[in-house]
Amino acid sequence: MTTTPSDPAGALPGRPPVVDLATWQAARDELLVREKAHTREGDAIAAARRRLPMVEFDGTAEVVGADGPVPFLDLFQGREELVVYKHMWYDGAPHQGQCEGCTTMAWHLKDSVGYLGTRGVSFAVLTPGRWDEVAAFTAFMGYTQPWYSVRGLDEPLGGGMAALSCFLREGERVFLTYSTTGRGNEPANGCFGLLDMTPYGRGEAWEDNPEGRPEGRHPCWYWRSDVDGAATWGPDSRPVPQWTRPGATPEKTLGREGSHH
């Protein structure tokens, strides 16, 4: 026999109503119809994306990496396809002063090299930062994916950052096939999808929430935290991934850990 639990008087504000399993399953099945339609529409959009035209550019343009200047063509590593994340950069800033969003995105993409490589796709991070600063930052973060400075280069290698771009190589010819930014970057961050499955979501002001739910905060309010993991944009905060990078310990604070300057 299935019973309906009682809703206590002190329930959290705006929380989902408590029902029996059969009622929950009926509501879940109804939502599943919409989820499947969303999946199919996503597949259709991906199919249209694969049919976009592309633009050719000079693949011999030099970018600077760990081995010095190399032509952009080298980033393909002999493969036909390449995905890059274009990481914003603040010249002269300490590590904790670099872009929170780009740091979070690059952290989620740190294992992309291995899996994409098995699918015939190379991966790299491009940034307009000076290479000496970039090298220090990547060593601090423990990154192993290839990073390159595109300082002084125009689009599609330089120019706007905080974007994902895809390229195709035909011999010595290179083409830009796709680029996205803003919320278009979200598929690269699996945590967004997980948060969207939870009853309280991302906790952001733009979300459509049930009546009585506490007002959300500004977008991406949780991208910076203090040493205890509390979301904050105060003087002792830094991009969240920096607290969990290799070698980080809870005792290390901005004053003791410092920057690369």
Side-chain angles (χ1 to χ4, degrees):
M1 177 179 179
T2 302
T3 60
T4 302
S6 60
D7 227 354
L12 294 172
R15 75 167 192 169
V18 180
V19 298
D20 59 62
L21 181 59
T23 302
W24 175 86
Q25 189 63 61
R28 176 69 191 94
D29 291 345
E30 183 179 353
L31 180 60
L32 182 61
V33 174
R34 296 179 61 188
E35 289 180 333
K36 291 298 184 183
H38 181 267
T39 298
R40 287 190 292 271
E41 178 61 14
D43 292 341
I45 291 173
R49 189 180 294 121
R50 292 190 292 272
R51 289 167 171 78
L52 282 174
M54 58 187 184
V55 58
E56 186 171 8
F57 67 97
D58 183 9
T60 66
E62 287 192 337
V63 298
V64 180
D67 297 323
V70 297
F72 181 72
L73 269 166
D74 283 13
L75 275 60
F76 286 83
Q77 298 179 315
R79 302 183 177 100
E80 294 178 347
E81 295 180 281
L82 170 69
V83 174
V84 306
Y85 181 69
K86 300 176 72 176
H87 196 290
M88 292 175 62
W89 196 263
Y90 300 124
D91 285 347
H95 302 317
Q96 64 269 19
Q98 293 301 336
C99 175
E100 301 83 8
C102 286
T103 301
T104 300
M105 193 64 63
W107 186 261
H108 280 84
L109 288 165
K110 60 191 174 75
D111 294 325
S112 297
V113 175
Y115 181 75
L116 289 177
T118 66
R119 304 301 300 268
V121 180
S122 292
F123 176 80
V125 180
L126 307 181
T127 181
R130 292 188 292 267
W131 179 249
D132 60 337
E133 293 188 6
V134 175
F137 180 73
T138 57
F140 174 82
M141 293 297 294
Y143 287 142
T144 58
Q145 71 266 64
W147 282 59
Y148 295 91
S149 171
V150 292
R151 195 175 189 84
L153 297 181
D154 296 326
E155 292 278 11
L157 304 183
M161 293 288 119
L164 287 163
S165 296
C166 300
F167 301 91
L168 181 69
R169 180 181 67 86
E170 262 186 8
E172 299 299 305
R173 301 178 69 189
V174 178
F175 306 87
L176 170 70
T177 63
Y178 180 73
S179 188
T180 187
T181 188
R183 295 196 63 188
N185 290 339
E186 287 188 3
N189 186 337
C191 287
F192 285 133
L194 293 176
L195 285 168
D196 288 343
M197 293 180 184
T198 65
Y200 279 81
R202 305 185 193 187
E204 297 182 5
W206 59 265
E207 289 180 293
D208 180 4
N209 284 319
E211 184 178 354
R213 181 69 52 83
E215 184 177 349
R217 308 190 200 182
H218 63 82
C220 309
W221 58 270
Y222 43 81
W223 280 5
R224 291 186 72 91
S225 75
D226 60 20
V227 68
D228 297 316
T232 176
W233 291 67
D236 293 328
S237 71
R238 61 171 58 210
V240 171
Q242 294 191 14
W243 296 117
T244 55
R245 72 188 191 284
T249 63
E251 291 74 26
K252 288 183 177 179
T253 65
L254 299 190
R256 292 193 291 273
E257 195 172 13
S259 73
H260 61 281
H261 293 292

